[in-house]
Amino acid sequence: MGKLVWAAATAHTGAMMRAPAGDNDDLERAQRVFAGFRTLGESLKAARPDVLIVIATDHFLSFDYTVLPIFALGAGERFDGWGEFGVPKRDYRGHAGFGAAVHGGMVDAGFDLVSARDMKLDHSFSCPLQLLLDGWDLPILPLYVNCTIAPLPSLRRCLDFGAALGDVLRRQQAIERVAIVGTGGLSHWVGMPQTGTINRDFDQRFLDLFTAGRCEQIASWNSDEVIDSAGNGAAEIRNWIMAAAAARSKGAKVLAYEPVAAWNTGIGVTELLL
């Protein structure tokens, strides 16, 4: 039987692999984000997981209009990084037996989850992983969620997926100690005229509910209104509530929140309360 030993949710952006230059206030904000990730990485290592599930998305590299699943699981033994957008290239180990167990369990639970054994990882996976696994290694299980190309899965569907995933993780027998992180958001616009805008009010409203364990209320939000007010990148809050539902978290503590102008993103770093 599996046990969830650690869970978290963080923002990501390829730009966060480079410290801001030219603005001391922005640099200080970035340093507080990096400190939050260091604390989170230490907590992850101390939890001694056997595998880390990473719930993220993709930006037209592994999936595009040719093949576009709603949910896909990287179920192979190795996952190569794209190394795009100035992100240092790093590859990761998988665990095919664990991937097969999760895939089968989710299909049995009624979710038509795609198995993508050779799925390559873009910065939505690589950025948080490089910060969390700085100087050490851990097998991962990447879980892709379509947060970019309409139609998107509803927030409610993602919360239900996360709850079913948690049940599967606890029943499977391939791995004992499981960690999970959802990554994306918070407010930012990608490739849009509003790029560079950060909606701090949205970010705070989301974090207030998320840290209080009120993901059911978040799941009731209108997805189009979220994107209109906080950007197309804010659609990635799906990954946060999926991780929280899988972990059956009681809430979360914020290790950092900073609107980093050079990164065009409201950056949140949280550890979930189990």
Side-chain angles (χ1 to χ4, degrees):
M1 303 291 285
K3 179 180 180 182
L4 270 292
V5 298
W6 181 92
T10 77
H12 69 251
T13 170
M16 73 191 302
M17 303 311 296
R18 300 174 294 280
D23 184 326
N24 288 336
D25 289 341
D26 218 29
L27 178 59
E28 289 178 4
R29 285 189 283 269
Q31 295 296 349
R32 288 192 287 269
V33 169
F34 292 141
F37 269 103
R38 284 194 297 272
T39 299
L40 200 58
E42 292 166 359
S43 171
L44 172 61
K45 192 171 187 178
R48 298 181 294 106
D50 299 313
V51 68
L52 172 62
I53 299 173
V54 187
I55 306 174
T57 190
D58 179 79
H59 301 82
F60 291 92
L61 288 173
S62 293
F63 299 110
D64 57 24
Y65 288 110
T66 306
V67 178
L68 187 67
I70 298 298
F71 303 109
L73 189 72
E77 291 284 2
R78 173 186 170 89
F79 304 103
D80 295 341
W82 281 102
E84 89 291 359
F85 199 45
V87 177
K89 185 176 180 346
R90 180 173 171 181
D91 306 327
Y92 296 90
R93 293 181 292 129
H95 190 298
F98 178 61
V102 173
H103 182 217
M106 291 304 294
V107 171
D108 288 345
F111 290 87
D112 298 328
L113 178 62
V114 171
S115 177
R117 296 193 179 188
D118 295 325
M119 186 169 75
K120 293 182 69 173
L121 309 181
D122 85 344
H123 69 270
S124 59
F125 292 92
S126 295
C127 287
L129 279 173
Q130 294 204 41
L131 293 171
L132 291 173
L133 302 181
D134 184 19
W136 63 294
D137 194 23
L138 179 68
I140 69 164
L141 183 73
L143 175 59
Y144 160 85
V145 182
N146 174 26
C147 300
T148 53
I149 304 172
L152 307 182
S154 69
L155 291 164
R156 177 75 253 177
R157 181 65 168 169
C158 289
L159 191 69
D160 291 344
F161 186 108
L165 176 62
D167 292 341
V168 169
L169 295 176
R170 291 170 177 84
R171 288 196 304 266
Q172 59 78 35
Q173 300 183 31
I175 286 290
E176 181 180 356
R177 299 177 66 82
V178 181
I180 188 167
V181 58
T183 176
L186 295 172
S187 65
H188 66 292
W189 281 258
V190 181
M192 305 290 285
Q194 303 97 318
T195 297
T197 301
I198 299 172
N199 187 336
R200 303 186 191 191
D201 290 340
F202 170 86
D203 292 345
Q204 194 58 61
R205 181 162 61 100
F206 172 79
L207 286 171
D208 286 347
L209 292 175
F210 188 77
T211 54
R214 296 169 64 183
C215 290
E216 287 279 350
Q217 185 170 343
I218 296 171
S220 73
W221 287 357
N222 182 293
S223 177
D224 291 339
E225 292 177 0
V226 168
I227 292 170
D228 287 344
S229 65
N232 51 349
E236 296 166 346
I237 62 172
R238 287 163 169 77
N239 306 334
W240 289 53
I241 65 173
M242 288 172 70
R248 300 174 186 167
S249 72
K250 302 177 180 66
K253 59 181 178 180
V254 176
L255 301 179
Y257 169 74
E258 298 292 340
V260 184
W263 297 344
N264 299 327
T265 305
I267 302 290
V269 182
T270 70
E271 183 169 359
L272 294 170
L273 305 177
L274 303 183

